Amino acid sequence: EGRYLRGLAYEARGDSLLAAALFGAARETELLEARYRDGRDSEEPVETTPLLEEISEAESRLGELRWEGDRRILEDVTSWLFRWGRDHGTTAYGAAKALLGTIEPLEPLLTWLSGQYVNDVSQLEKATELAPESPVAWRALSNALAMTEPERSEEALESALKLLRRDDEPSPATEQLRAFDNLDYRPIDEKDLLATLAKLVYDGGRYDEAAELSAELIEMDPESLQGWQIHAQALTFSLKHDEAAAAYEKAIEHFDAAFESDSLMLGGD
């Protein structure tokens, strides 16, 4: 409710874009809280609440939103998104969703934010078009595709890994997404991408390729339990049992540390 009231204050002084950001943030926060209050699943629709009705009415008053080049608005929106993104993902998502298509310099960030929070494939595809050199955008697309289109997910992850390894000067859009991703407790990392790619390849039954990728991961991080697990299992299914046994011994050596960090990958095979 506090963000809705702040939005009304900005609306009263004519700052429609800032008001829209706050109304969008308030809407998504209220939707989330309503689900908690009603004990609903995240996919179940929420019947309207008095606050949602007030927000809808306020949003309808704003009319068409257009950024006129005011740097103050650009700086305020950017500051809010980064502050909310650190601690209140739902709030940042709501603001980004409300501002889509309104502030051109922020469009890659707004598109990525509004897509990655809910795994919206169409939005994330657009994000990779707006920021084609961003490994963060490609990783988010890979995550969104993982359950439904594993082959496309793998392709997107390969793109993310290649881009992360490049040394050329990043574009402003790439910098935006990387800076926001760095707010995460586990920002994009070459080892994590390589581990995920090795697991995707392993799950696809390409065991020799999975063994090569996991060997690359182990060379980069000899203490990676996930790397040793994938390596051992891939070697097992490649019928290289002696090498697999040695890899399992290495995995056991690193089991305790991985258990403490909650990074185990226990397969069903």
Side-chain angles (χ1 to χ4, degrees), residues 177-198:
L177 269 60
R178 185 62 182 269
F180 200 96
D181 183 65
N182 282 339
L183 300 176
D184 199 330
Y185 77 99
R186 195 173 181 179
I188 194 167
D189 174 83
E190 185 177 355
K191 289 184 291 186
D192 286 341
L193 291 183
L194 192 56
T196 304
L197 181 59

Side-chain angles (χ1 to χ4, degrees), residues 133 162-171 174:
E133 298 177 353
K162 288 176 183 175
L163 289 167
L164 191 64
R165 288 170 167 171
R166 280 169 53 171
D167 294 328
D168 47 336
E169 189 73 20
S171 67
T174 298

Side-chain angles (χ1 to χ4, degrees), residues 86-99:
R86 187 175 294 109
D87 302 309
H88 305 285
T90 300
T91 305
Y93 162 68
K97 185 178 175 183
L99 293 176

